[in-house]
Amino acid sequence: MVQAATKITEEKLLHLIEDWYKLEDQTIGFAEDLKKKSDNPFVKVIMDIIKHDSQKHKIMQQFVIDALTKEAIHLTPQELIPLADVLDRHIQAEAKSMGLANACSTESRNYFVDFIVSALTDDEIKHHNMLKTLDHIKSAVYPYGQTRSERMSGASL
């Protein structure tokens, strides 16, 4: 009974994601139309951002569709272990980006600059959180179950 309910819920989710995927095409089209109708650089950059985000959304939505219809998502810590050094450096770079974005927010007194910097800050936070999730999965077994902060501080189990 639980399995049947799960299958119905998964099918409903699949239909919702597919509808959303189709809607992104409209969003891309609207952004292109608005960009063509304006000569304002601020409007143009906002439309470019929305268009590129919608294209990115389609990639992510297709991943979900494939995960629900083809192969289940899998990721093991062992797949991430070889990436440890680069992953750590990437996390540090994103943290530095967040710091720079914060500094820009503090210094700026321009509404339009603040708007763009705020959007950039949101993206940097999102990237940092995504990388931290990968690091959390990896740290479940590497090395010997230590977390990243334990590895960095030299603490042992």
Side-chain angles (χ1 to χ4, degrees), residues 2 10 13 31 50 65 74 82 86-87 96 102 114 136 138 154:
V2 172
E10 233 177 56
L13 174 61
I50 291 171
I65 291 167
H74 56 83
V86 174
L87 183 57
K96 187 174 181 179
N102 261 346
D114 289 346
H136 177 73
K138 175 185 59 67

Side-chain angles (χ1 to χ4, degrees), residues 138-154:
K138 175 185 59 67
S139 69
V141 296
Y142 176 74
Y144 314 111
Q146 288 182 317
T147 64
R148 180 176 181 274
S149 59
E150 289 171 333
R151 288 192 318 276
M152 300 307 277
S153 69

Side-chain angles (χ1 to χ4, degrees), residues 32-50:
E32 288 172 346
D33 289 347
L34 285 166
K35 185 177 175 185
K36 287 176 190 172
K37 291 180 187 253
S38 178
D39 292 327
N40 184 284
F42 183 71
V43 171
K44 287 180 174 285
V45 78
I46 296 301
M47 292 308 111
D48 277 339
I49 291 167
I50 291 171

Side-chain angles (χ1 to χ4, degrees), residues 8 30 32 35 50 52 71 77 88 103 115 120 126 139 141 143:
I8 290 169
F30 292 143
E32 288 172 346
K35 185 177 175 185
I50 291 171
H52 291 295
E71 184 177 346
D88 285 344
F115 182 86
L120 287 167
K126 179 180 68 178
S139 69
V141 296

Side-chain angles (χ1 to χ4, degrees), residues 103-148:
C104 289
S105 291
T106 302
E107 295 299 321
S108 175
R109 301 291 179 257
N110 180 308
Y111 175 81
F112 299 104
V113 170
D114 289 346
F115 182 86
I116 298 297
V117 168
S118 177
L120 287 167
T121 301
D122 292 346
D123 278 355
E124 295 300 347
I125 291 168
K126 179 180 68 178
H127 298 165
H128 188 76
N129 289 336
M130 292 170 116
L131 292 167
K132 293 293 282 184
T133 297
L134 289 175
D135 190 56
H136 177 73
I137 294 166
K138 175 185 59 67
S139 69
V141 296
Y142 176 74
Y144 314 111
Q146 288 182 317
T147 64
R148 180 176 181 274

